[in-house]
Amino acid sequence: FPSHDTENQFAKKIQESLMEKAYYDMTVGKFIRIKITRGGKLGEMGYLDPDGYIRIFTYRHKFYQSRLVYLWFTGILPNCTQQMDHIDGMRNNDHPSNLRIVDHKLNGRNKKMLTRNKSGYTGVFYHKASGKYMAQTVVNGKPVYHGIF
């Protein structure tokens, strides 16, 4: 595993590379390229991936824009065990005030309601055997039963 110093040097190089060719526009929530490098076009950087995240190719690596925004404003590049949480749940809203670093467990608590959910509430589903609704959540990987109503 790379040392903490190596991670910091890598983050600094990415930040410097980004700063020499772009700026972050708070009104549109995107990096704007101002210098052409290796075939890049001027204007908004990145693309929307199939999962709804904005991805940017810079410094010979592909990054989630949210990680680059966090780096831009804090000087810290989240490591591979850390995840970026979009507080409002919108994957393409990379405004600095909407981002925070969390671990996998905490980020999993932000899951959206499943599309097959018919109750309208996360953790509540119809219990066929009783003909009532059952409430259940998962905490630390274990189901927690809240009752049948």
Side-chain angles (χ1 to χ4, degrees):
F1 293 102
S3 70
H4 185 65
D5 288 339
T6 306
E7 285 180 9
N8 287 341
Q9 289 171 356
F10 182 62
K12 189 165 181 61
K13 287 182 180 182
I14 294 165
Q15 191 175 31
E16 288 170 357
S17 170
L18 202 52
M19 287 181 155
E20 79 178 31
K21 65 182 168 196
Y23 69 93
Y24 184 77
D25 186 332
M26 297 282 276
T27 58
V28 295
K30 288 190 174 188
F31 283 100
I32 307 298
R33 186 184 308 272
I34 55 173
K35 180 180 175 188
I36 297 175
T37 55
R38 294 193 180 177
K41 297 177 185 175
L42 295 177
E44 290 183 3
M45 293 176 70
Y47 65 93
L48 194 63
D49 76 6
D51 294 324
Y53 294 99
I54 298 171
R55 303 291 296 266
I56 293 176
F57 189 83
T58 189
Y59 200 69
R60 291 182 236 128
H61 292 11
K62 194 185 305 184
F63 295 94
Y64 288 103
Q65 178 179 260
S66 57
R67 290 176 172 271
L68 295 176
V69 170
Y70 198 84
L71 172 65
W72 185 270
F73 287 96
T74 67
I76 299 166
L77 183 65
N79 66 40
C80 59
T81 64
Q82 298 171 314
Q83 295 184 352
M84 293 305 307
D85 178 31
H86 291 80
I87 297 166
D88 68 0
M90 300 293 294
R91 294 175 173 181
N92 63 348
N93 179 2
D94 293 327
H95 192 277
S97 65
N98 189 47
L99 301 172
R100 64 180 178 166
I101 295 178
V102 297
D103 63 14
H104 178 71
K105 188 188 297 185
L106 182 60
N107 208 23
R109 292 182 186 163
N110 295 337
K111 280 188 175 177
K112 294 195 183 216
M113 189 168 40
L114 297 175
T115 55
R116 66 177 187 254
N117 181 311
K118 292 186 172 65
S119 73
Y121 299 95
T122 302
V124 177
F125 59 93
Y126 187 71
H127 188 255
K128 290 180 186 175
S130 67
K132 296 182 179 183
Y133 284 90
M134 181 172 141
Q136 181 175 311
T137 55
V138 177
V139 178
N140 296 328
K142 297 182 180 178
V144 177
Y145 173 75
H146 299 288
I148 293 180
F149 308 94

